[in-house]
C-alpha cells in the first residue's frame, strides 16, 4: 500500500507526483496531484486561519452516530466504562510520579494483581446503577468489552500488565463527528484501546470519523527515569519549574487532559500529556478548532476535569486548591468562574489514583441537569443555586479507581451545533 505523507513546495511536490505516477500509473498520478493540491490549499488556509475562524464548516450528517462539540449540550449517547477485571498497574516510574507517596506501598505490593475484589465488586454495582439512571434519563449507554487485564504483555521496549477499561474519558476524545483515540502515557494502559475497538468500529461503519493518534513506543527515553519526587513539596517545586516525568521524546497524551467548549479546546501539559502531544492535537484540529494550553498551581497535574470543568456556555468550575494561571482569559471573555465547595469524601476512604476533588468531576446531561455524587451535598446545593437540577448517584467505590462521572464516561452524541463561546 502506497502512502504519501506530505509533499512540500511547488516544484518538489510536482516532481514527486510525476515520479510516483511514472512508477505506478496514471490513476495514481491523479490521486497524488489531488492530494498535493489539497495540501497546498490546507497550508494556505492555515496561514490565514484568523480570517477563517468564523467561516462555516460542513455540518455533521444528521444520521451520524457521533456528534459532540462541548460538555453541556443535551446528552443522547455515552460510553460508560467497566470496573470488571481492574488491575493495579505495576509500580513503574510514570505510575510513581502520578500517585501519592501514601499509596506507593499499595502499588509495590499489588502491582499486576487485581484491585481489592470486594471493592471492585461494589464499584461494578455502582456503575451499573449509574448506567440504569442514565437510561432512565433518556441516554443511550454503550460499554467497552470485557478483557483480562492481568495478562502480561511485552513489546520491543517494555513489558507490563494492563489496568482497566474504567475511564473512557482518558482514552477517547470526541470532536464533532470524529472519535480521537489517545496514545496514552502509562505502559499499563498501552493496550487499553482494545476494549473500545468493537464499539468504535460500529460507529465508524455508521459514518463517524475515527482517528488514532501516533502510538508512542513508551521506551525508557519517554520518561525521566530519575524524576526526583519524595514528597508533595517536591511535586510543587517540579511542577512550578515545568518539569514532568514524561519527556519530549515522542508525542503522548491522555484525552482527559483536554476539555471542550465549541471551537475552543483547553489542554494542560501534565505528567501524561507532553508538548509534542499537544502540538499534534493542535495541528490535527486546525483551523476549525483552537487549542489553548492552560496551567495550574498543581503538584500532580494529570487530567484536567477535576481542576477545570466547563459546565455550560460561559460557565466554568475552577478548583480553588489548584488556581488556573490563565483564569483572567475566561473572565475577560465574560465567563463566570465558580469555585466549587470543599469535598466531603472521608480521609479514610481509599483513593488510589486521584484526589478528593472528584466531587467537581461531574457529567452535564444538559445545561440544566447534572449527574453529581449523592454524598456531596455542598456541591449539590451549589448547582441548585445555579438553577441546575442534580441527579444524585453514589459512586464512592468507583471513585477509588481514579475517576468521577466525567472520567467514567465519554459523551458520544450531544444535540447541538459547533459554536464559538469566546469570541
Amino acid at each position: 500500500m502506497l502512502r504519501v505523507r506530505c509533499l512540500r513546495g511547488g516544484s518538489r511536490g510536482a516532481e514527486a507526483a510525476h515520479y510516483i505516477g511514472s512508477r505506478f500509473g496514471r490513476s495514481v498520478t491523479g490521486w497524488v496531484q489531488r492530494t498535493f493540491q489539497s495540501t497546498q490549499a490546507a497550508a494556505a488556509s492555515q496561514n490565514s486561519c484568523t480570517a477563517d475562524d468564523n467561516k462555516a464548516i460542513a455540518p455533521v450528517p444528521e444520521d451520524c452516530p457521533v456528534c459532540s462539540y462541548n460538555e453541556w449540550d443535551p446528552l443522547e449517547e455515552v460510553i460508560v466504562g467497566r470496573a470488571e477485571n481492574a488491575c493495579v498497574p505495576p509500580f513503574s516510574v510514570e505510575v510513581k510520579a502520578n500517585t501519592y507517596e501514601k499509596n506507593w506501598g499499595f502499588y509495590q505490593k499489588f502491582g499486576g494483581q487485581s484491585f481489592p475484589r470486594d471493592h471492585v465488586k461494589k464499584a461494578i454495582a455502582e456503575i451499573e446503577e449509574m448506567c440504569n439512571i442514565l437510561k432512565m434519563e433518556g441516554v443511550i449507554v454503550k460499554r467497552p468489552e470485557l478483557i483480562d487485564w492481568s495478562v502480561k504483555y511485552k513489546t520491543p521496549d517494555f513489558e507490563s500488565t494492563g489496568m482497566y477499561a474504567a475511564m473512557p474519558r482518558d482514552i477517547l476524545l470526541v470532536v464533532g463527528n470524529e472519535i480521537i483515540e489517545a496514545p496514552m502515557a502509562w505502559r499499563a494502559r498501552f493496550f487499553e484501546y482494545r476494549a473500545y475497538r468493537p464499539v468504535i468500529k460500529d460507529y465508524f461503519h455508521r459514518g463517524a470519523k475515527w482517528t488514532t493518534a501516533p502510538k508512542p513506543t513508551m521506551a525508557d527515553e519517554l520518561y525521566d527515569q530519575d524524576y526526583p519526587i519524595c514528597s508533595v513539596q517536591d511535586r510543587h517545586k517540579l511542577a512550578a519549574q515545568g518539569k514532568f516525568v514524561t519527556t519530549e521524546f515522542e508525542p503522548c497524551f491522555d484525552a482527559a487532559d483536554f476539555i471542550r467548549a465549541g471551537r475552543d479546546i483547553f489542554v494542560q501539559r501534565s505528567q501524561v500529556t507532553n508538548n509534542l502531544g499537544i502540538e499534534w492535537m493542535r495541528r490535527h484540529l486546525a483551523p476549525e478548532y483552537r487549542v489553548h494550553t492552560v496551567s495550574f498551581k498543581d503538584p500532580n497535574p494529570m487530567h484536567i476535569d477535576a481542576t477545570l470543568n466547563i459546565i455550560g456556555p460561559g460557565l466554568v468550575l475552577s478548583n480553588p486548591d489548584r488556581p488556573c494561571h490563565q483564569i483572567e482569559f475566561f473572565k475577560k471573555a465574560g465567563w463566570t468562574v465558580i469555585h466549587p465547595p470543599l469535598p466531603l469524601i472521608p480521609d479514610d476512604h481509599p483513593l488510589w489514583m486521584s484526589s478528593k476533588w472528584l466531587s467537581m468531576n461531574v457529567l452535564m446531561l444538559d445545561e440544566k441537569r447534572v449527574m453529581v455524587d449523592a454524598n456531596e451535598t455542598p456541591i449539590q446545593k451549589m448547582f441548585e443555586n445555579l438553577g441546575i437540577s442534580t441527579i444524585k448517584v453514589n459512586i464512592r467505590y468507583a471513585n477509588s479507581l481514579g475517576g468521577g462521572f466525567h472520567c467514567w464516561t465519554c459523551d458520544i452524541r450531544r444535540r447541538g451545533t459547533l459554536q464559538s463561546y469566546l469570541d
Side-chain angles (χ1 to χ4, degrees):
M1 178 179 176
L2 174 67
R3 294 188 180 182
V4 178
R5 186 174 180 183
C6 182
L7 298 175
R8 295 182 180 270
S11 61
R12 290 183 181 178
E15 289 169 4
H18 177 77
Y19 170 76
I20 296 171
S22 68
R23 295 291 302 272
F24 293 97
R26 187 179 302 273
S27 61
V28 177
T29 304
W31 176 82
V32 173
Q33 288 173 334
R34 289 192 299 273
T35 303
F36 169 57
Q37 290 164 357
S38 66
T39 304
Q40 283 184 311
S45 174
Q46 188 165 356
N47 289 337
S48 58
C49 63
T50 303
D52 290 343
D53 275 346
N54 295 318
K55 185 182 293 184
I57 62 173
V60 174
E62 289 186 7
D63 58 347
C64 183
V66 174
C67 184
S68 182
Y69 296 108
N70 57 47
E71 310 292 338
W72 63 82
D73 278 339
L75 183 63
E76 297 183 339
E77 185 162 340
V78 69
I79 297 175
V80 178
R82 288 188 179 276
E84 288 90 339
N85 303 329
C87 282
V88 180
F91 192 56
S92 52
V93 63
E94 76 275 14
V95 173
K96 181 180 180 181
N98 281 276
T99 53
Y100 288 100
E101 57 268 25
K102 67 179 181 181
N103 293 320
W104 287 350
F106 173 82
Y107 285 95
Q108 289 170 322
K109 182 176 181 180
F110 296 109
Q113 304 175 49
S114 172
F115 280 95
R117 296 189 186 280
D118 287 345
H119 204 102
V120 171
K121 185 177 180 180
K122 292 175 182 177
I124 292 170
E126 288 176 342
I127 298 304
E128 288 296 329
E129 178 63 11
M130 173 184 163
C131 290
N132 291 335
I133 292 172
L134 283 167
K135 292 173 185 177
M136 286 190 290
E137 294 292 329
V139 179
I140 297 171
V141 175
K142 300 290 186 180
R143 309 295 299 278
E145 294 289 293
L146 287 169
I147 287 180
D148 181 1
W149 300 105
S150 67
V151 175
K152 183 175 287 188
Y153 50 82
K154 185 176 182 179
T155 79
D157 297 288
F158 70 91
E159 62 179 53
S160 182
T161 48
M163 197 165 89
Y164 54 33
M167 312 293 164
R169 187 76 57 176
D170 294 359
I171 191 168
L172 302 176
L173 179 67
V174 174
V175 181
N177 67 336
E178 179 180 16
I179 301 176
I180 300 173
E181 199 176 287
M184 312 302 285
W186 283 19
R187 288 170 168 176
R189 308 190 76 174
F190 189 86
F191 287 111
E192 193 167 318
Y193 68 87
R194 295 177 62 244
Y196 298 94
R197 282 293 173 87
V199 66
I200 295 175
K201 285 190 290 186
D202 176 63
Y203 290 137
F204 180 72
H205 287 311
R206 292 161 56 197
K209 293 174 66 177
W210 172 19
T211 299
T212 299
K215 196 69 174 173
T217 62
M218 297 191 186
D220 287 348
E221 291 88 346
L222 180 58
Y223 311 102
D224 180 352
Q225 300 293 333
D226 300 314
Y227 193 66
I229 50 169
C230 295
S231 66
V232 173
Q233 289 74 22
D234 291 335
R235 293 174 184 272
H236 273 292
K237 182 178 179 181
L238 290 164
Q241 294 172 350
K243 294 181 180 179
F244 306 92
V245 71
T246 47
T247 69
E248 299 297 332
F249 175 69
E250 57 191 347
C252 67
F253 64 85
D254 282 12
D257 269 325
F258 295 80
I259 197 158
R260 305 158 303 152
R263 289 188 182 272
D264 294 281
I265 298 174
F266 299 90
V267 61
Q268 67 171 348
R269 200 327 181 172
S270 76
Q271 300 285 21
V272 292
T273 296
N274 64 12
N275 290 320
L276 281 175
I278 294 171
E279 182 60 22
W280 182 91
M281 186 70 84
R282 181 176 285 116
R283 295 185 198 180
H284 178 73
L285 294 175
E288 290 87 1
Y289 299 90
R290 300 170 290 227
V291 177
H292 309 270
T293 302
V294 290
S295 59
F296 308 89
K297 187 180 179 182
D298 185 355
N300 190 40
M302 178 183 175
H303 302 166
I304 198 170
D305 48 1
T307 301
L308 189 82
N309 196 354
I310 301 173
I311 60 171
L315 199 59
V316 60
L317 298 183
S318 180
N319 189 322
D321 278 358
R322 307 170 192 160
C324 178
H325 297 136
Q326 295 81 20
I327 201 65
E328 289 301 318
F329 175 84
F330 296 94
K331 292 179 179 179
K332 288 178 181 178
W335 284 40
T336 299
V337 177
I338 300 170
H339 299 295
L342 293 174
L344 296 180
I345 192 164
D347 289 338
D348 61 353
H349 185 79
L351 290 172
W352 296 301
M353 309 180 76
S354 58
S355 76
K356 293 182 179 183
W357 283 105
L358 291 177
S359 58
M360 64 176 281
N361 188 258
V362 296
L363 177 68
M364 302 302 297
L365 302 194
D366 55 40
E367 290 183 40
K368 295 299 180 181
R369 291 182 299 160
V370 61
M371 183 166 278
V372 65
D373 195 293
N375 303 285
E376 294 289 344
T377 51
I379 201 167
Q380 293 170 22
K381 291 178 182 177
M382 183 205 77
F383 280 114
E384 289 160 4
N385 290 337
L386 292 169
I388 299 172
S389 300
T390 55
I391 299 166
K392 303 171 185 69
V393 185
N394 185 10
I395 60 166
R396 273 286 189 260
Y397 289 92
N399 285 159
S400 299
L401 298 179
F405 297 103
H406 199 256
C407 297
W408 277 91
T409 59
C410 176
D411 42 308
I412 293 298
R413 190 171 64 253
R414 290 184 180 270
R415 190 171 64 254
T417 58
L418 178 61
Q419 299 182 44
S420 179
Y421 301 94
L422 284 160
D423 286 341

